[in-house]
Amino acid sequence: MNKFTKWILNRLLKKPCPVQTPRSGQSGKNINCYSISIYDGDSPIMLVNSIESNGITGSHFEGGGFRTEAIIPFLLYPGLRLRIEHYHGLVTHTYKGVCDYMLHEWTWFYKLQSFYVLAKHSVPQYFFNKKNLQLPKRMKVLESIIVKQSEDPHKSFSSLDLMSYMYSIRWYLHPQKTEMRKKMDLYLSSFVASGELKNNGSSFDFIITGKAIATLEQYQIETARAKSAKSANSWMLRLTAILAFFAAFQSGVIVSPAWIDLGKICGWLSSYM
């Protein structure tokens, strides 16, 4: 490790990250710190705490976390990989070495990246929050449950899972989130009472039952019949109006131009009745 790299790392280590780095809320927005780690290929080895005269000191990675204090002599550093993470507000910038860090940070390009990432999230969220969220009808909710659970019907789910599936993760930040969650809980409770769902160990986790498919299919059949009947009635009304119109011409109530023989047209329509 050359002197220039040591100098940069020592500067970054003056802005260390807390043990628990906040990634949300106001505390996450105010964070501005660096985390430096050493990797052997894709395997983490050490979380760097300081650069000493005889090597790199820090927490050695073992048992799924950085725990034991250790030192890596500079003679063993060649071949290892340096990773720098900059927690800039709610955005995390990861650099593969000092050159990558300099390219983004010394040019202030990272600030443009942070602005883009935040705008990419906040602008759609702003317009989403302007929408007036409304739950669909009961059978539409059941249909969403069946589609969501079709790949793994024995997996439990909660109202939070279902809301995220129907409205995306953005609903967590919507002004109506509490109201919508309560309404969804009522829907799910009603499905438990009618047998389409059952509780999975608690009143907040649910599992779909076989009755859900039967209920939805029966609803779809009845809906299709109602649409068919409505369509037939609509056409009958139109045809009746047309026949009444031509009957008015035949009776002389309405006189048609000489070049239109409405009698023939009416006879032709009557032949299809």
Side-chain angles (χ1 to χ4, degrees):
M1 180 178 289
N2 56 52
K3 292 183 178 180
F4 183 69
T5 301
K6 294 178 183 177
W7 176 74
I8 290 181
L9 296 183
N10 278 319
R11 286 187 61 194
L12 299 182
L13 290 170
K14 292 179 180 179
K15 290 185 176 182
C17 292
V19 177
Q20 298 291 335
T21 306
R23 306 310 299 132
S24 62
Q26 190 59 44
S27 56
K29 293 180 181 179
N30 295 334
I31 201 72
N32 185 21
C33 64
Y34 292 90
S35 175
I36 303 172
S37 51
I38 305 294
Y39 277 67
D40 184 6
D42 295 328
S43 302
I45 296 178
M46 174 182 286
L47 182 65
V48 179
N49 293 333
S50 64
I51 307 297
E52 306 295 339
S53 58
N54 57 340
I56 308 169
T57 64
S59 302
H60 185 259
F61 186 84
E62 57 184 35
F66 295 99
R67 307 180 188 281
T68 309
E69 291 296 317
I71 183 169
I72 298 178
F74 291 126
L75 293 175
L76 300 179
Y77 177 74
L80 300 179
R81 187 163 58 88
L82 182 70
R83 186 169 82 171
I84 302 171
E85 291 177 302
H86 182 190
Y87 296 92
H88 181 238
L90 299 177
V91 182
T92 303
H93 302 274
T94 303
Y95 307 121
K96 298 179 180 179
V98 172
C99 292
D100 193 22
Y101 158 79
M102 293 167 55
L103 177 64
H104 290 81
E105 299 266 332
W106 288 14
T107 60
W108 284 19
F109 183 59
Y110 80 98
K111 292 189 175 182
L112 181 61
Q113 289 176 310
S114 292
F115 176 80
Y116 170 76
V117 170
L118 293 175
K120 187 178 180 181
H121 167 75
S122 60
V123 172
Q125 184 70 52
Y126 171 80
F127 288 105
F128 181 79
N129 287 352
K130 292 296 182 180
K131 296 180 180 178
N132 182 28
L133 293 186
Q134 291 184 346
L135 284 178
K137 293 183 178 180
R138 189 172 184 270
M139 286 297 104
K140 287 294 183 181
V141 173
L142 181 60
E143 184 177 1
S144 297
I145 294 173
I146 293 174
V147 173
K148 178 183 181 300
Q149 298 300 111
S150 59
E151 295 184 359
D152 191 358
H154 300 293
K155 181 180 179 181
S156 64
F157 67 95
S158 66
S159 58
L160 294 176
D161 300 326
L162 188 57
M163 291 291 292
S164 298
Y165 173 77
M166 294 175 63
Y167 297 103
S168 82
I169 199 69
R170 299 189 190 281
W171 82 272
Y172 279 95
L173 298 178
H174 196 277
Q176 293 177 272
K177 62 180 181 180
T178 302
E179 174 190 351
M180 297 295 291
R181 170 80 185 283
K182 290 180 179 179
K183 289 182 179 180
M184 182 60 75
D185 286 335
L186 290 175
Y187 268 138
L188 296 181
S189 296
S190 73
F191 286 130
V192 172
S194 56
E196 286 82 17
L197 299 179
K198 64 180 180 180
N199 293 114
N200 183 37
S202 73
S203 58
F204 302 104
D205 289 326
F206 304 90
I207 293 180
I208 196 170
T209 68
K211 186 180 178 182
I213 301 293
T215 300
L216 182 61
E217 286 183 348
Q218 183 62 32
Y219 169 76
Q220 290 173 338
I221 291 172
E222 292 175 358
T223 302
R225 287 175 179 171
K227 286 183 178 179
S228 179
K230 183 178 180 181
S231 177
N233 290 335
S234 176
W235 280 108
M236 285 298 296
L237 287 173
R238 294 175 187 176
L239 187 57
T240 301
I242 292 173
L243 292 176
F245 178 76
F246 284 112
F249 273 102
Q250 285 183 326
S251 63
V253 176
I254 301 175
V255 179
S256 65
W259 55 273
I260 299 179
D261 190 349
L262 290 176
K264 290 184 178 180
I265 297 176
C266 186
W268 176 76
L269 287 173
S270 298
S271 66
Y272 288 92
M273 292 297 293

